[in-house]
Amino acid sequence: MRPKAKENVHVPSACNSPENAAAPSTAQQLVLVTHPFHPLFAQQLPCVGRRYNRYGERLLLQDRNGAVWSLPPGWTDVASPDPDVVMGHGQSLLRVSDFLELADLVSRLSGKSVRRPRSGM
C-alpha cells in the first residue's frame, strides 16, 4: 500500500524578509568583487538583486555565463572599506580579527584551549 501524498504542505523559507520582492529597476549597478579569495575577485559584475535572510543582506551578482552568485556586501566595493585594510594600505590580506578567529579554530581542532585577553576587537 502506497503512503498517501501530503497536500498543501507549507515549507518555511530561509528568505522570509518582505524586502526579498524584486523591485523593478531600469539601471543595474555594477559591483566589484573585492574579496581576495573569491573566484570572482577583481571582476565587475551587474547586481541583479538584493536579498535578506537570517544572516543579513546578500547581493545577487550575475557573471558572464548568466550564473547568479550570492555574496555579502562586505566582499564587494558596495561596503565601506575595512579600517584594518585602510590602515595597512592594502598590504595585509588578513585582519587582526581574522587571526584571532583562526587561533580559536586551531585550538578547537587541537583540543587545547587558548586564553586571550578580553579586548574591544
Side-chain angles (χ1 to χ4, degrees):
M1 181 179 237
R2 286 181 22 192
K4 192 174 184 180
K6 293 182 182 179
E7 295 178 24
N8 297 327
V9 176
H10 174 70
V11 179
S13 172
C15 296
N16 54 10
S17 170
E19 290 138 353
N20 283 338
S25 174
T26 55
Q28 287 183 342
Q29 177 183 5
L30 291 177
V31 175
L32 178 68
V33 178
T34 58
H35 192 286
F37 302 117
H38 195 278
L40 299 174
F41 174 66
Q43 293 185 39
Q44 196 169 27
L45 305 169
C47 181
V48 295
R50 291 176 186 252
R51 298 290 184 261
Y52 297 83
N53 62 21
R54 69 184 83 175
Y55 304 109
E57 182 181 11
R58 304 291 288 192
L59 300 177
L60 302 177
L61 306 180
Q62 189 169 28
D63 68 13
R64 291 178 185 91
N65 298 323
V68 176
W69 296 68
S70 172
L71 279 79
W75 292 7
T76 69
D77 64 345
V78 171
S80 52
D82 187 307
D84 288 331
V85 175
V86 172
M87 290 177 64
H89 302 288
Q91 299 299 311
S92 177
L93 294 177
L94 296 173
R95 303 164 298 172
V96 171
S97 60
D98 296 328
F99 283 114
L100 293 173
E101 189 175 328
L102 178 62
D104 286 342
L105 175 64
V106 169
S107 69
R108 284 194 314 265
L109 293 175
S110 67
K112 299 176 183 176
S113 78
V114 174
R115 289 184 171 251
R116 56 183 159 127
R118 293 181 185 216
S119 65
M121 286 190 231

